[in-house]
Amino acid sequence: MNQFTYSYPTRVYFGDDAFSTMMKAEVEKMGSVVMLAYGRGSLKKTGLYEMIVDALQQAGKKVVDFGGIMPNPTYAKVKEGIALAKREHVEFILAAGGGSVLDCSKVISAGAKSDQDMWDLQYHQHQMPTEFLPMGAVVTAFGTGAEMNNGAVITNEETRQKSPLFGSYYSFAVLSPAFTMTMPMGQVISGAFDSLSHCMETYMGSPREENVSDEINEAVQRNIIRNIRKILQNPENEDVRSELIWDAAMSENGMLKIGKKTDFQCHMLEHQLGAYTNCNHGRGLAVLHPVLYKHYLPEAEKQFARLAVNVWGIDPAGKSEAELASAFIQALQDFIKEIGLPTSLHEMNINLSEKETEEIAESTVLTGGCVKKFTAEELQKVLNECA
């Protein structure tokens, strides 16, 4: 394993009573002015908005409302939140929602404590923010694991980039299965596949020989696959949801990355696909992964063969490493079909021109930790094969 230092700042309150437990422990630390950040209406439809506002107001907090955060949050929305936080002298951000809300809030937390433009600071001055508004997360849509890290994926519509920005870690995260019961099943499945993708992206980094982080990773992957199948059979099963919620957290809380240099080439390509099409992240990953993985061969045979046996339960008897590697890709592709995710861009109603595929590929970050170092030209081939 590589050298590492591990410390994690986010306290997790897990279970059906997680919110009330969190309020008792954390409310005094929030200051007097709390921004409640949320999405485009589902929080109010489910009654969670009123519950959270009531709890904050009963604790004597002034609540600053910041709603309307969209899927694939834009940098314009980030700047709107920063301006509101400064104007209202916000002391704490409580983000309630899924990955988009949580990501947007992370960058607001940094921008609210700075006079710098966050995009310019990080992409042109190549500096990271150092001061942040403290934050807490109430997860109502699982899959991204956004509550477990300080990275945010933000779409800059002016530059046509969907790229990472960095903000604050969450001081705490509320993970309550009951809060996710109104998630549409399509979102449940695409979110859970995103969790699986995070695991695979980490696994495909280096070192590539067997190690304890990867063996824990294999267990999380098996759990995700098993529980996606279970939740399709019984969407109301809170025990299954609790497994998937913790899987999402495990995929991004640093445990699987200890001693690893990660890959995330598929994520980088999907981000730019999203910048051009505004597509659903998990569905985009489902289309890209099997095709991209065919391009990993033969460099990835050893890791793919281990995944075939240890995650997908493929019998290795009589099979070469290359055959097992191909069997893994086929098993992944079959699973994607089985759970109702798309296997082509056409199924997502995405029809890209040659110029668009070239622009997407050229603007995609080429990751350093990948088992195979890609070129923009090869990524364009991947997109064309996904069509």
Side-chain angles (χ1 to χ4, degrees):
M1 293 177 70
N2 297 327
Q3 180 176 320
F4 67 87
T5 300
Y6 182 77
S7 176
Y8 222 76
T10 306
R11 288 181 297 282
V12 175
Y13 297 90
F14 189 95
D16 285 347
D17 294 327
F19 183 80
S20 60
T21 304
M22 175 278 293
M23 285 295 290
K24 291 173 186 174
E26 305 286 348
V27 70
E28 295 301 322
K29 306 172 190 176
M30 294 182 187
S32 59
V33 184
V34 178
M35 174 188 280
L36 178 58
Y38 58 98
R40 288 183 158 178
S42 62
L43 199 73
K44 291 185 175 180
K45 290 176 184 175
T46 60
L48 289 176
Y49 174 87
E50 185 176 0
M51 185 203 77
I52 294 170
V53 170
D54 285 349
L56 291 171
Q57 289 178 339
Q58 287 176 23
K61 311 299 180 185
K62 176 186 174 183
V63 179
V64 176
D65 190 282
F66 183 59
I69 299 173
M70 65 288 288
N72 300 319
T74 65
Y75 189 53
K77 192 66 178 177
V78 168
K79 291 194 288 186
E80 180 187 335
I82 290 170
L84 178 63
K86 289 180 175 180
R87 186 168 65 248
E88 296 292 334
H89 306 288
V90 168
E91 299 174 64
F92 189 90
I93 300 172
L94 187 62
S100 295
V101 172
L102 273 55
D103 277 4
C104 187
S105 299
K106 292 173 195 175
V107 189
I108 293 170
S109 79
K113 297 289 284 185
S114 174
D115 293 328
Q116 300 267 7
D117 178 89
M118 286 295 104
W119 199 278
D120 180 69
L121 179 74
Q122 297 187 37
Y123 279 98
H124 300 128
Q125 299 181 44
H126 306 292
Q127 298 178 30
M128 291 293 113
T130 56
E131 290 187 78
F132 311 96
L133 283 177
M135 301 190 302
V138 177
V139 176
T140 65
F142 57 84
T144 66
E147 69 278 7
M148 291 288 126
N149 58 56
N150 69 331
V153 181
I154 304 297
T155 300
N156 189 325
E157 293 177 302
E158 291 182 6
T159 62
R160 219 169 186 184
Q161 290 173 284
K162 185 178 177 183
S163 300
L165 287 173
F166 292 90
S168 177
Y169 282 92
Y170 284 94
S171 300
F172 62 79
V174 173
L175 304 179
S176 173
F179 284 9
T180 73
M181 295 305 292
T182 57
M183 274 180 78
M185 186 49 54
Q187 188 177 357
V188 170
I189 301 306
S190 65
F193 188 84
D194 187 21
S195 300
L196 181 63
S197 174
H198 291 162
C199 293
M200 294 189 294
E201 299 267 54
T202 300
Y203 194 93
M204 294 312 299
S206 61
R208 299 185 179 105
E209 61 272 11
E210 291 178 303
N211 60 82
V212 66
S213 295
D214 282 354
E215 289 179 356
I216 297 169
N217 190 327
E218 290 168 358
V220 176
Q221 289 187 57
R222 290 195 300 270
N223 192 276
I224 293 169
I225 294 162
R226 180 171 65 250
N227 283 293
I228 287 177
R229 286 172 167 149
K230 284 185 176 181
I231 205 165
L232 283 168
Q233 297 299 316
N234 183 4
E236 306 303 314
N237 189 321
E238 282 198 26
D239 288 336
V240 171
R241 284 175 181 263
S242 71
E243 294 286 317
L244 289 171
I245 290 167
W246 189 239
D247 286 330
M250 279 292 292
S251 74
E252 280 297 307
N253 69 4
M255 288 296 295
L256 308 186
K257 300 176 184 178
I258 290 176
K260 294 279 292 186
K261 185 176 182 181
T262 60
D263 177 357
F264 282 81
Q265 186 61 75
C266 193
H267 265 70
M268 294 302 102
L269 182 57
E270 198 289 325
H271 288 167
Q272 279 309 103
L273 177 66
Y276 276 71
T277 66
N278 199 34
C279 65
N280 175 276
H281 179 55
R283 292 169 67 82
L285 290 170
V287 170
L288 291 172
H289 258 298
V291 177
L292 189 70
Y293 277 176
K294 289 174 185 176
H295 283 254
Y296 277 39
L297 297 171
E299 290 90 342
E301 281 181 359
K302 188 177 294 294
Q303 284 160 294
F304 282 175
R306 286 204 306 269
L307 287 171
V309 176
N310 298 344
V311 172
W312 294 93
I314 295 168
D315 185 356
K319 297 182 181 70
S320 67
E321 194 170 78
E323 288 170 330
L324 284 170
S326 294
F328 155 68
I329 297 173
Q330 188 61 53
L332 178 63
Q333 191 160 355
D334 290 345
F335 179 69
I336 289 165
K337 288 182 181 179
E338 174 192 340
I339 64 178
L341 289 176
T343 59
S344 70
L345 295 177
H346 179 73
E347 288 179 60
M348 298 176 68
N349 296 315
I350 294 173
N351 298 290
L352 299 170
S353 67
E354 191 71 13
K355 183 174 185 295
E356 286 173 321
T357 60
E358 182 180 1
E359 289 176 355
I360 291 168
E362 288 286 350
S363 59
T364 295
V365 173
L366 302 176
T367 62
C370 186
V371 69
K372 174 186 173 69
K373 187 69 175 178
F374 279 85
T375 63
E377 291 76 17
E378 190 167 9
L379 290 181
Q380 186 178 5
K381 290 180 182 177
V382 170
L383 289 169
N384 289 334
E385 290 166 24
C386 288

